[in-house]
Amino acid sequence: MKPYSEMTKEELLELKRDLSDQYREFQGKNLTLDMSRGKPSAEQLDLSMGMMDVLSSDSDLTCEDGTDCRNYGGLDGISEAKELLADMIEVPADNIIIYGNSSLNVMYDTISRSMTHGVMGNTPWCKLDKVKFLCPVPGYDRHFSITEYFGIEMINIPMTADGPDMDLVEKYVTTDPTVKGIWCVPKYSNPTGNSYSDQTVRRLARMHPAAPDFRIYWDNAYGIHHLYDDEQDHVLEILAECKKAGNPDMVYKFSSTSKITFPGSGIAAIATSHNNLDDIKKQLKIQTIGHDKVNQLRHVRFFKDIHGMVEHMRKHANILRPKFEAVENILDRELGGLEIGTWTKPHGGYFISFDSLNGCAKEIVAKCKKAGVVMTGAGATYPYGKDPEDRNIRIAPSYPPLQDLITATELFALCVKLVSVNKLLEEM
Amino acid sequence: MKPYSEMTKEELLELKRDLSDQYREFQGKNLTLDMSRGKPSAEQLDLSMGMMDVLSSDSDLTCEDGTDCRNYGGLDGISEAKELLADMIEVPADNIIIYGNSSLNVMYDTISRSMTHGVMGNTPWCKLDKVKFLCPVPGYDRHFSITEYFGIEMINIPMTADGPDMDLVEKYVTTDPTVKGIWCVPKYSNPTGNSYSDQTVRRLARMHPAAPDFRIYWDNAYGIHHLYDDEQDHVLEILAECKKAGNPDMVYKFSSTSKITFPGSGIAAIATSHNNLDDIKKQLKIQTIGHDKVNQLRHVRFFKDIHGMVEHMRKHANILRPKFEAVENILDRELGGLEIGTWTKPHGGYFISFDSLNGCAKEIVAKCKKAGVVMTGAGATYPYGKDPEDRNIRIAPSYPPLQDLITATELFALCVKLVSVNKLLEEM
């Protein structure tokens, strides 16, 4: 088919009638499908059921250093869990603290601590008139919710295939002392699926921030979440790069096993310099006696080591890959050449990012919803929920069974076409 | 033996020689015993090993309302866990939020949220010049650490056998709008073991605070932690009392299963009014997608209901009771009638509170340490670690095996005698 923009009004009107008929057919199916969040499917969760067997009433719940994991203590985690997660996120084990079940919670607490107590001796942010964060867009809505909740002003930074626009990032970070952080999902980014290039990581690590308490909030959410064995993205390790560049304290790296074992019942971690770790522990020891060590031990006994974890991730990939490919194939087939949308084809992670014609995203998502398919809300991938071009839509292929996903994506493609036709007709 | 205060100088000097000999004997034993924290013993932890078996790879981890506990979601907890903990802390299930592994963490987060965002629309505390908390003393050191960490001024309120001195509490709360909270451990209080009388609870509930954002921080740490079947303390349910008194929003009730199942691997909860719950959830949904539902389910399947939990607590009591009685018997035998100390005989909880002669506590704890027995630091039971009379010592009988506990308590009693003799001699 030819690009919609080259069609005459009559052709578009004809097309609209045809698409509207198809849409009504979908409405008749009474679908209730959810593609809104990056949730693993039941089939993926089944992969980790063995975790429920590794500890039993006969088990010795003592860890290597003699700590009884059943009792109080262990503020920063058991050493074998530190080793496992350190290998997972490519840092030395002594640069890590193991937390509870959620890296989002760790990020929230990091911002909250900076508000009330400041970063390594600097003024608490709640005492400052203005605090700003850089937000590569499109990005992860829950990051933006945290900074919005704390009244931190968010500045959009366009994402490219290589990561955030580094000219803009450097300009802000090096000249504006109210810029205290940047949200990053460096690998298989949420939602674009792109990974930061070596050049981007090096430029980030080599910045000279105007604010001494500027930190990179490095959400390593999809570090080992590949879709393919042969085509895998690699991202330079940021702690080492910052250290090399003479900025050892400039980054907090977050991660968890949420999309490896059970979301909500995994273990999370922060990795950062010893100076930052000392700063964090001063607060952490007030907040808790320690996180769930039995669950840490459960993870270690289940995976044994990083090799076990990598093997486990292959099984996830085998379930996820056909879903991503199904979405990509339908988008290619239905929308290829029409010039009414572009989309990413990531090598890992949980999302495909779709850009429609400007001003169409909200309407597309609304149309999907009316026919029973819930997408992530349009705008959600931008600070304050405001996509200035109203064009980005996050597609989350992981949760629905394959057949449902195919139906949902076909509906989605149809809605894209229908809304685009309307848009073009309006503009005539 | 007669009271030390009635002894002559010669008698005291003779006694001192004898006690010093005994002390040297203890030093020769090279003891390394720990009575510093309220940790359950290994024997108590063994009681909950069955928890490791209730979920297996064959289990259906779906809860009653159809939620797959293995996936994201469930911000305020699964309904069956709410029911279990609601029964445990005597509130309706819809007044509760289930958290992660630590009620201390919930308390910290509650204060932190009040600092950054205020309580139910009131000014965030970080924007105020002064915030004060009332601290019944002796009390729980980790409570005081939280308020100290946030720069909240702490005011000592003497504990009586019926709870905090209510005349003083009412005076502060009703006249000083900078007083925003009071820390309470109402049942088997840490460290006195006393429980609040009905009169105390009613007076607390009926206060008219000067500050609209004043809250009672009700740490229900030992609600079902009885030592005896026949002699149990009962404390009026504070949420209901506050509601009756027209102050439904005035209390946060905290609890956890830390000293029921595994400390650090339990589940925690807050119970409060719907207004407060709505206020809390606005923040909680930014902080996390949800707590560990699998662990919530594990607790529910292990206990089945409150009756299972009460039965389980009897087994704890059977292990703890002989330890408490051993300490009490040794103190009676060694110190009875000497008038150099008083101590509590609680019906539950984890501590015995000991008051020495004024100005002796630090020295007693130091002497114990020199002979290999670590007690809770003297002063720890007071804000800022400052016991104005230097007399309170918290005894934690739970952790050491019975024989070690006996040895440690004998050493403790000896140190009390020795330090008291020195004190009396100095004053002559």
Side-chain angles (χ1 to χ4, degrees), chain A residues 178-214:
Chain A
T178 69
V179 170
K180 302 297 189 188
I182 179 172
W183 286 119
C184 296
V185 185
K187 198 166 181 178
Y188 305 135
S189 187
N190 179 350
T192 70
N194 294 328
S195 298
Y196 290 18
S197 69
D198 292 357
Q199 173 74 349
T200 298
V201 177
R202 288 204 183 97
R203 284 178 73 179
L204 280 167
R206 287 170 189 172
M207 292 189 297
H208 298 287
D213 50 353
F214 171 85

mmCIF file of all heavy atoms in Angstrom, chain A residues 178-214:
data_model
loop_
_atom_site.group_PDB
_atom_site.id
_atom_site.type_symbol
_atom_site.label_atom_id
_atom_site.label_comp_id
_atom_site.label_asym_id
_atom_site.label_seq_id
_atom_site.Cartn_x
_atom_site.Cartn_y
_atom_site.Cartn_z
ATOM 1 N N THR A 178 21.206 23.369 40.049
ATOM 2 C CA THR A 178 19.955 22.827 40.588
ATOM 3 C C THR A 178 19.624 21.476 39.951
ATOM 4 O O THR A 178 18.717 20.790 40.404
ATOM 5 C CB THR A 178 18.772 23.799 40.358
ATOM 6 O OG1 THR A 178 18.474 23.864 38.962
ATOM 7 C CG2 THR A 178 19.091 25.189 40.882
ATOM 8 N N VAL A 179 20.368 21.104 38.905
ATOM 9 C CA VAL A 179 20.163 19.780 38.297
ATOM 10 C C VAL A 179 20.896 18.747 39.134
ATOM 11 O O VAL A 179 22.120 18.729 39.189
ATOM 12 C CB VAL A 179 20.656 19.753 36.830
ATOM 13 C CG1 VAL A 179 20.659 18.332 36.290
ATOM 14 C CG2 VAL A 179 19.771 20.652 35.961
ATOM 15 N N LYS A 180 20.120 17.894 39.820
ATOM 16 C CA LYS A 180 20.691 16.961 40.796
ATOM 17 C C LYS A 180 20.705 15.523 40.304
ATOM 18 O O LYS A 180 21.247 14.642 40.999
ATOM 19 C CB LYS A 180 19.867 17.011 42.091
ATOM 20 C CG LYS A 180 19.787 18.385 42.745
ATOM 21 C CD LYS A 180 21.141 18.889 43.184
ATOM 22 C CE LYS A 180 20.990 20.154 44.035
ATOM 23 N NZ LYS A 180 22.325 20.754 44.311
ATOM 24 N N GLY A 181 20.072 15.265 39.184
ATOM 25 C CA GLY A 181 20.048 13.875 38.758
ATOM 26 C C GLY A 181 19.545 13.692 37.343
ATOM 27 O O GLY A 181 18.978 14.619 36.736
ATOM 28 N N ILE A 182 19.782 12.506 36.827
ATOM 29 C CA ILE A 182 19.213 12.095 35.542
ATOM 30 C C ILE A 182 18.734 10.654 35.688
ATOM 31 O O ILE A 182 19.423 9.807 36.262
ATOM 32 C CB ILE A 182 20.240 12.228 34.392
ATOM 33 C CG1 ILE A 182 19.631 11.764 33.046
ATOM 34 C CG2 ILE A 182 21.522 11.435 34.677
ATOM 35 C CD1 ILE A 182 20.521 12.061 31.838
ATOM 36 N N TRP A 183 17.522 10.395 35.243
ATOM 37 C CA TRP A 183 16.978 9.030 35.223
ATOM 38 C C TRP A 183 17.477 8.306 33.973
ATOM 39 O O TRP A 183 17.284 8.805 32.868
ATOM 40 C CB TRP A 183 15.452 9.043 35.163
ATOM 41 C CG TRP A 183 14.712 9.419 36.402
ATOM 42 C CD1 TRP A 183 13.856 10.478 36.549
ATOM 43 C CD2 TRP A 183 14.698 8.726 37.656
ATOM 44 N NE1 TRP A 183 13.320 10.489 37.811
ATOM 45 C CE2 TRP A 183 13.816 9.424 38.517
ATOM 46 C CE3 TRP A 183 15.349 7.584 38.146
ATOM 47 C CZ2 TRP A 183 13.565 9.025 39.834
ATOM 48 C CZ3 TRP A 183 15.102 7.184 39.452
ATOM 49 C CH2 TRP A 183 14.217 7.889 40.286
ATOM 50 N N CYS A 184 18.094 7.145 34.130
ATOM 51 C CA CYS A 184 18.563 6.385 32.977
ATOM 52 C C CYS A 184 18.121 4.924 33.059
ATOM 53 O O CYS A 184 18.211 4.310 34.125
ATOM 54 C CB CYS A 184 20.094 6.401 32.923
ATOM 55 S SG CYS A 184 20.812 8.033 32.684
ATOM 56 N N VAL A 185 17.642 4.393 31.954
ATOM 57 C CA VAL A 185 17.486 2.935 31.812
ATOM 58 C C VAL A 185 18.399 2.560 30.648
ATOM 59 O O VAL A 185 18.002 2.615 29.487
ATOM 60 C CB VAL A 185 16.033 2.526 31.514
ATOM 61 C CG1 VAL A 185 15.909 0.991 31.493
ATOM 62 C CG2 VAL A 185 15.074 3.100 32.544
ATOM 63 N N PRO A 186 19.643 2.229 30.974
ATOM 64 C CA PRO A 186 20.690 2.208 29.944
ATOM 65 C C PRO A 186 20.589 1.049 28.959
ATOM 66 O O PRO A 186 21.048 1.168 27.833
ATOM 67 C CB PRO A 186 21.972 2.097 30.770
ATOM 68 C CG PRO A 186 21.539 1.423 32.039
ATOM 69 C CD PRO A 186 20.175 1.945 32.306
ATOM 70 N N LYS A 187 19.999 -0.031 29.367
ATOM 71 C CA LYS A 187 19.986 -1.205 28.493
ATOM 72 C C LYS A 187 18.549 -1.611 28.206
ATOM 73 O O LYS A 187 17.752 -1.744 29.125
ATOM 74 C CB LYS A 187 20.713 -2.354 29.203
ATOM 75 C CG LYS A 187 21.145 -3.482 28.287
ATOM 76 C CD LYS A 187 22.128 -4.347 29.036
ATOM 77 C CE LYS A 187 22.668 -5.494 28.229
ATOM 78 N NZ LYS A 187 23.646 -6.254 29.035
ATOM 79 N N TYR A 188 18.256 -1.847 26.943
ATOM 80 C CA TYR A 188 16.893 -2.199 26.547
ATOM 81 C C TYR A 188 15.914 -1.246 27.236
ATOM 82 O O TYR A 188 14.994 -1.649 27.948
ATOM 83 C CB TYR A 188 16.591 -3.663 26.903
ATOM 84 C CG TYR A 188 17.577 -4.654 26.322
ATOM 85 C CD1 TYR A 188 18.100 -5.697 27.101
ATOM 86 C CD2 TYR A 188 18.000 -4.561 24.994
ATOM 87 C CE1 TYR A 188 18.996 -6.614 26.580
ATOM 88 C CE2 TYR A 188 18.901 -5.479 24.462
ATOM 89 C CZ TYR A 188 19.399 -6.502 25.262
ATOM 90 O OH TYR A 188 20.295 -7.405 24.739
ATOM 91 N N SER A 189 16.179 0.022 27.002
ATOM 92 C CA SER A 189 15.505 1.107 27.709
ATOM 93 C C SER A 189 13.982 0.985 27.670
ATOM 94 O O SER A 189 13.419 0.526 26.693
ATOM 95 C CB SER A 189 15.928 2.429 27.069
ATOM 96 O OG SER A 189 15.422 3.505 27.810
ATOM 97 N N ASN A 190 13.378 1.399 28.744
ATOM 98 C CA ASN A 190 11.924 1.476 28.862
ATOM 99 C C ASN A 190 11.497 2.853 28.392
ATOM 100 O O ASN A 190 11.848 3.842 29.017
ATOM 101 C CB ASN A 190 11.540 1.247 30.331
ATOM 102 C CG ASN A 190 10.055 1.326 30.597
ATOM 103 O OD1 ASN A 190 9.275 1.733 29.744
ATOM 104 N ND2 ASN A 190 9.659 0.958 31.804
ATOM 105 N N PRO A 191 10.778 3.013 27.279
ATOM 106 C CA PRO A 191 10.172 1.966 26.460
ATOM 107 C C PRO A 191 10.870 1.710 25.127
ATOM 108 O O PRO A 191 10.413 0.835 24.390
ATOM 109 C CB PRO A 191 8.797 2.571 26.171
ATOM 110 C CG PRO A 191 9.078 4.033 26.005
ATOM 111 C CD PRO A 191 10.244 4.342 26.921
ATOM 112 N N THR A 192 11.913 2.443 24.783
ATOM 113 C CA THR A 192 12.392 2.350 23.382
ATOM 114 C C THR A 192 13.090 1.033 23.078
ATOM 115 O O THR A 192 13.175 0.625 21.919
ATOM 116 C CB THR A 192 13.377 3.487 23.042
ATOM 117 O OG1 THR A 192 14.605 3.279 23.756
ATOM 118 C CG2 THR A 192 12.802 4.847 23.370
ATOM 119 N N GLY A 193 13.632 0.381 24.112
ATOM 120 C CA GLY A 193 14.371 -0.849 23.869
ATOM 121 C C GLY A 193 15.796 -0.586 23.396
ATOM 122 O O GLY A 193 16.581 -1.514 23.230
ATOM 123 N N ASN A 194 16.131 0.690 23.192
ATOM 124 C CA ASN A 194 17.494 1.033 22.800
ATOM 125 C C ASN A 194 18.456 0.922 23.971
ATOM 126 O O ASN A 194 18.052 1.013 25.127
ATOM 127 C CB ASN A 194 17.563 2.472 22.276
ATOM 128 C CG ASN A 194 16.789 2.622 20.983
ATOM 129 O OD1 ASN A 194 16.714 1.686 20.188
ATOM 130 N ND2 ASN A 194 16.202 3.794 20.780
ATOM 131 N N SER A 195 19.748 0.742 23.657
ATOM 132 C CA SER A 195 20.777 0.703 24.685
ATOM 133 C C SER A 195 21.763 1.839 24.457
ATOM 134 O O SER A 195 22.006 2.240 23.314
ATOM 135 C CB SER A 195 21.502 -0.647 24.645
ATOM 136 O OG SER A 195 20.582 -1.694 24.910
ATOM 137 N N TYR A 196 22.314 2.336 25.564
ATOM 138 C CA TYR A 196 23.255 3.452 25.477
ATOM 139 C C TYR A 196 24.544 2.984 24.791
ATOM 140 O O TYR A 196 25.090 1.934 25.139
ATOM 141 C CB TYR A 196 23.597 3.978 26.867
ATOM 142 C CG TYR A 196 22.485 4.717 27.593
ATOM 143 C CD1 TYR A 196 21.149 4.602 27.219
ATOM 144 C CD2 TYR A 196 22.785 5.542 28.670
ATOM 145 C CE1 TYR A 196 20.148 5.276 27.917
ATOM 146 C CE2 TYR A 196 21.784 6.223 29.371
ATOM 147 C CZ TYR A 196 20.472 6.078 28.986
ATOM 148 O OH TYR A 196 19.487 6.739 29.683
ATOM 149 N N SER A 197 25.035 3.785 23.868
ATOM 150 C CA SER A 197 26.303 3.468 23.202
ATOM 151 C C SER A 197 27.477 3.702 24.161
ATOM 152 O O SER A 197 27.332 4.391 25.182
ATOM 153 C CB SER A 197 26.471 4.363 21.975
ATOM 154 O OG SER A 197 26.696 5.703 22.401
ATOM 155 N N ASP A 198 28.621 3.129 23.839
ATOM 156 C CA ASP A 198 29.824 3.336 24.648
ATOM 157 C C ASP A 198 30.142 4.824 24.771
ATOM 158 O O ASP A 198 30.515 5.313 25.834
ATOM 159 C CB ASP A 198 31.027 2.622 24.005
ATOM 160 C CG ASP A 198 30.871 1.106 24.058
ATOM 161 O OD1 ASP A 198 29.873 0.632 24.644
ATOM 162 O OD2 ASP A 198 31.739 0.405 23.499
ATOM 163 N N GLN A 199 29.968 5.511 23.666
ATOM 164 C CA GLN A 199 30.231 6.955 23.633
ATOM 165 C C GLN A 199 29.324 7.691 24.622
ATOM 166 O O GLN A 199 29.773 8.566 25.366
ATOM 167 C CB GLN A 199 29.996 7.442 22.187
ATOM 168 C CG GLN A 199 30.058 8.940 21.992
ATOM 169 C CD GLN A 199 31.490 9.471 22.052
ATOM 170 O OE1 GLN A 199 32.421 8.757 22.436
ATOM 171 N NE2 GLN A 199 31.664 10.731 21.711
ATOM 172 N N THR A 200 28.062 7.314 24.669
ATOM 173 C CA THR A 200 27.117 7.946 25.603
ATOM 174 C C THR A 200 27.542 7.686 27.047
ATOM 175 O O THR A 200 27.577 8.602 27.871
ATOM 176 C CB THR A 200 25.687 7.392 25.371
ATOM 177 O OG1 THR A 200 25.286 7.715 24.048
ATOM 178 C CG2 THR A 200 24.706 7.970 26.375
ATOM 179 N N VAL A 201 27.864 6.425 27.361
ATOM 180 C CA VAL A 201 28.254 6.085 28.733
ATOM 181 C C VAL A 201 29.507 6.862 29.118
ATOM 182 O O VAL A 201 29.600 7.422 30.218
ATOM 183 C CB VAL A 201 28.488 4.568 28.882
ATOM 184 C CG1 VAL A 201 28.969 4.235 30.296
ATOM 185 C CG2 VAL A 201 27.209 3.791 28.571
ATOM 186 N N ARG A 202 30.477 6.921 28.202
ATOM 187 C CA ARG A 202 31.731 7.634 28.515
ATOM 188 C C ARG A 202 31.485 9.126 28.713
ATOM 189 O O ARG A 202 32.051 9.746 29.616
ATOM 190 C CB ARG A 202 32.752 7.409 27.398
ATOM 191 C CG ARG A 202 33.304 6.000 27.398
ATOM 192 C CD ARG A 202 34.671 5.896 26.748
ATOM 193 N NE ARG A 202 35.092 4.492 26.740
ATOM 194 C CZ ARG A 202 34.938 3.667 25.692
ATOM 195 N NH1 ARG A 202 34.405 4.114 24.558
ATOM 196 N NH2 ARG A 202 35.322 2.412 25.788
ATOM 197 N N ARG A 203 30.630 9.692 27.891
ATOM 198 C CA ARG A 203 30.345 11.131 28.060
ATOM 199 C C ARG A 203 29.619 11.387 29.378
ATOM 200 O O ARG A 203 29.894 12.377 30.059
ATOM 201 C CB ARG A 203 29.517 11.651 26.876
ATOM 202 C CG ARG A 203 30.357 11.842 25.613
ATOM 203 C CD ARG A 203 29.523 12.321 24.438
ATOM 204 N NE ARG A 203 29.100 13.731 24.536
ATOM 205 C CZ ARG A 203 28.385 14.343 23.593
ATOM 206 N NH1 ARG A 203 28.008 13.693 22.492
ATOM 207 N NH2 ARG A 203 28.033 15.619 23.745
ATOM 208 N N LEU A 204 28.722 10.500 29.747
ATOM 209 C CA LEU A 204 28.046 10.640 31.044
ATOM 210 C C LEU A 204 29.065 10.585 32.186
ATOM 211 O O LEU A 204 29.048 11.407 33.101
ATOM 212 C CB LEU A 204 27.015 9.518 31.231
ATOM 213 C CG LEU A 204 25.664 9.680 30.528
ATOM 214 C CD1 LEU A 204 24.890 8.380 30.540
ATOM 215 C CD2 LEU A 204 24.834 10.802 31.163
ATOM 216 N N ALA A 205 29.963 9.595 32.107
ATOM 217 C CA ALA A 205 30.918 9.372 33.197
ATOM 218 C C ALA A 205 31.919 10.515 33.324
ATOM 219 O O ALA A 205 32.456 10.763 34.405
ATOM 220 C CB ALA A 205 31.649 8.053 32.978
ATOM 221 N N ARG A 206 32.146 11.227 32.225
ATOM 222 C CA ARG A 206 33.195 12.257 32.212
ATOM 223 C C ARG A 206 32.677 13.669 32.454
ATOM 224 O O ARG A 206 33.421 14.635 32.360
ATOM 225 C CB ARG A 206 33.937 12.213 30.865
ATOM 226 C CG ARG A 206 34.834 10.997 30.760
ATOM 227 C CD ARG A 206 35.379 10.838 29.350
ATOM 228 N NE ARG A 206 36.066 9.531 29.231
ATOM 229 C CZ ARG A 206 36.511 9.044 28.088
ATOM 230 N NH1 ARG A 206 36.362 9.738 26.968
ATOM 231 N NH2 ARG A 206 37.112 7.866 28.059
ATOM 232 N N MET A 207 31.398 13.781 32.771
ATOM 233 C CA MET A 207 30.843 15.129 33.000
ATOM 234 C C MET A 207 31.464 15.753 34.245
ATOM 235 O O MET A 207 31.897 15.057 35.165
ATOM 236 C CB MET A 207 29.320 15.028 33.182
ATOM 237 C CG MET A 207 28.582 14.614 31.911
ATOM 238 S SD MET A 207 26.785 14.752 32.086
ATOM 239 C CE MET A 207 26.442 13.571 33.379
ATOM 240 N N HIS A 208 31.474 17.076 34.276
ATOM 241 C CA HIS A 208 31.857 17.809 35.478
ATOM 242 C C HIS A 208 30.630 18.569 35.965
ATOM 243 O O HIS A 208 30.410 19.722 35.582
ATOM 244 C CB HIS A 208 33.003 18.779 35.182
ATOM 245 C CG HIS A 208 34.250 18.084 34.719
ATOM 246 N ND1 HIS A 208 35.046 17.355 35.582
ATOM 247 C CD2 HIS A 208 34.813 17.975 33.504
ATOM 248 C CE1 HIS A 208 36.063 16.844 34.910
ATOM 249 N NE2 HIS A 208 35.948 17.184 33.639
ATOM 250 N N PRO A 209 29.837 17.928 36.802
ATOM 251 C CA PRO A 209 28.547 18.529 37.186
ATOM 252 C C PRO A 209 28.730 19.832 37.962
ATOM 253 O O PRO A 209 29.663 19.963 38.760
ATOM 254 C CB PRO A 209 27.915 17.465 38.104
ATOM 255 C CG PRO A 209 28.668 16.206 37.831
ATOM 256 C CD PRO A 209 30.045 16.629 37.438
ATOM 257 N N ALA A 210 27.836 20.757 37.726
ATOM 258 C CA ALA A 210 27.822 21.996 38.510
ATOM 259 C C ALA A 210 27.444 21.712 39.963
ATOM 260 O O ALA A 210 27.925 22.380 40.867
ATOM 261 C CB ALA A 210 26.835 22.980 37.879
ATOM 262 N N ALA A 211 26.604 20.700 40.185
ATOM 263 C CA ALA A 211 26.177 20.348 41.544
ATOM 264 C C ALA A 211 27.044 19.205 42.087
ATOM 265 O O ALA A 211 27.165 18.168 41.434
ATOM 266 C CB ALA A 211 24.715 19.917 41.545
ATOM 267 N N PRO A 212 27.649 19.378 43.281
ATOM 268 C CA PRO A 212 28.455 18.293 43.848
ATOM 269 C C PRO A 212 27.607 17.059 44.183
ATOM 270 O O PRO A 212 28.133 15.955 44.285
ATOM 271 C CB PRO A 212 29.038 18.911 45.121
ATOM 272 C CG PRO A 212 28.128 20.047 45.465
ATOM 273 C CD PRO A 212 27.574 20.550 44.169
ATOM 274 N N ASP A 213 26.303 17.290 44.374
ATOM 275 C CA ASP A 213 25.427 16.166 44.719
ATOM 276 C C ASP A 213 24.628 15.684 43.507
ATOM 277 O O ASP A 213 23.607 14.997 43.663
ATOM 278 C CB ASP A 213 24.493 16.521 45.879
ATOM 279 C CG ASP A 213 23.767 17.852 45.666
ATOM 280 O OD1 ASP A 213 24.085 18.571 44.689
ATOM 281 O OD2 ASP A 213 22.890 18.168 46.492
ATOM 282 N N PHE A 214 25.117 16.002 42.313
ATOM 283 C CA PHE A 214 24.506 15.417 41.111
ATOM 284 C C PHE A 214 24.828 13.927 41.057
ATOM 285 O O PHE A 214 25.958 13.504 41.299
ATOM 286 C CB PHE A 214 25.040 16.095 39.846
ATOM 287 C CG PHE A 214 24.603 15.391 38.577
ATOM 288 C CD1 PHE A 214 23.381 15.670 37.994
ATOM 289 C CD2 PHE A 214 25.406 14.405 38.002
ATOM 290 C CE1 PHE A 214 22.967 14.999 36.843
ATOM 291 C CE2 PHE A 214 24.999 13.734 36.853
ATOM 292 C CZ PHE A 214 23.782 14.028 36.277
#
